[in-house]
Amino acid sequence: MATNSNEIDNNLLTLSLSFPPPPVVAPPPPPPPPPSSRRPSKRKRTLKSETIPPPYPWATNHRAKVHSLNMLRLNQISTITGEVQCRRCERKYEIGFDLCDKFAQVGSFISANKELMHQRAPSIWMNPIYLNCKFCEQENSVKPIIASKKKSINWVFLLLGQFIGCCTLDQLKYFCKYNEIHRTGAKDRVLYQTYLSLCRQLDNTGPFYY
């Protein structure tokens, strides 16, 4: 009987060794962390410098700021030049405006029509009358060339030629931003504010307040 018992034990041991061990089951991964309630931080804008190299002799080293008439006279600046281009023949060239004569014309127009404007630019400012081309002689075809970089816009030249209406609304808002002027609203209102602000920079004693 003992022999049979030993044989049974040996057979059981042999059977147990013939089966592979049970596989090792990896523990489940931890649950993902809950979503953060904080918004992703936005990239900080690079602050523009307060001063720039003056783009023109009649401009200051501040964005969208020009010298006064008195300062320009002291510096013997009497002609304001700017680049233009004909829409017909596409020729580009430079023209000059007499500072005192042209500014007097703009000032007289504002003085005579300010009450009728109701703080909105008139049609002649919204749709400027262009010059005649000195090459192909096409009438009302020469437009000012406006700098692609806003800090280089020739504001005094545009004012004297009454060409500021050629600027986009975005360019006008740039001017208002750096002159602390409320810059929301339609283009005719922002354009009106730009004209009067430029005139005040040149002559703060004139009828250029609203």
Side-chain angles (χ1 to χ4, degrees):
M1 293 296 294
T3 302
N4 291 337
S5 176
N6 289 337
E7 289 178 355
I8 292 172
D9 291 340
N10 290 335
N11 290 336
L12 291 174
L13 179 61
T14 302
L15 287 172
S16 65
L17 292 175
S18 65
F19 288 102
V24 178
V25 179
S36 175
S37 60
R38 297 176 59 185
R39 294 182 179 179
S41 59
K42 295 182 179 180
R43 182 179 297 176
K44 293 183 178 180
R45 293 183 178 180
T46 303
L47 296 177
K48 294 182 178 180
S49 62
E50 293 186 3
T51 59
I52 59 173
Y56 308 97
W58 42 88
T60 71
N61 62 347
H62 288 80
R63 300 172 188 273
K65 295 288 180 66
V66 302
H67 288 296
S68 67
L69 284 178
N70 290 336
M71 180 62 69
L72 295 178
R73 292 191 187 104
L74 287 175
N75 292 329
Q76 298 182 343
I77 297 175
S78 59
T79 301
I80 305 299
T81 58
E83 289 187 307
V84 295
Q85 182 177 22
C86 178
R87 295 184 295 174
R88 180 185 180 186
C89 67
E90 299 184 348
R91 294 285 294 272
K92 297 179 181 179
Y93 55 97
E94 185 179 88
I95 63 172
F97 291 135
D98 183 277
L99 173 61
C100 292
D101 288 348
K102 284 293 186 178
F103 184 67
Q105 292 177 23
V106 175
S108 297
F109 178 82
I110 293 175
S111 180
N113 297 280
K114 183 180 175 183
E115 297 300 325
L116 302 175
M117 294 183 192
H118 303 292
Q119 297 189 7
R120 293 184 182 274
S123 176
I124 194 172
W125 286 355
M126 290 289 292
N127 303 286
I129 299 175
Y130 301 131
L131 305 175
N132 299 338
C133 181
K134 73 175 186 179
F135 293 104
C136 69
E137 299 182 351
Q138 178 68 31
E139 296 181 353
N140 192 27
S141 65
V142 175
K143 294 181 61 175
I145 298 175
I146 299 177
S148 57
K149 292 186 177 181
K150 298 184 186 72
K151 66 180 181 180
S152 299
I153 293 177
N154 195 348
W155 292 108
V156 179
F157 178 76
L158 297 178
L159 171 69
L160 299 183
Q162 300 188 56
F163 293 145
I164 305 177
C166 297
C167 293
T168 64
L169 181 58
D170 186 52
Q171 291 167 333
L172 297 176
K173 287 183 176 181
Y174 172 89
F175 177 90
C176 292
K177 174 183 177 181
Y178 287 100
N179 285 280
E180 299 180 353
I181 300 172
H182 188 65
R183 56 187 186 274
T184 59
K187 183 177 179 178
D188 58 352
R189 187 176 295 277
V190 181
L191 180 59
Y192 173 86
Q193 294 169 334
T194 303
Y195 261 96
L196 267 66
S197 177
L198 267 172
C199 289
R200 288 197 303 272
Q201 290 186 40
L202 288 169
D203 179 14
N204 61 7
T205 64
F208 308 125
Y209 291 86
Y210 48 84

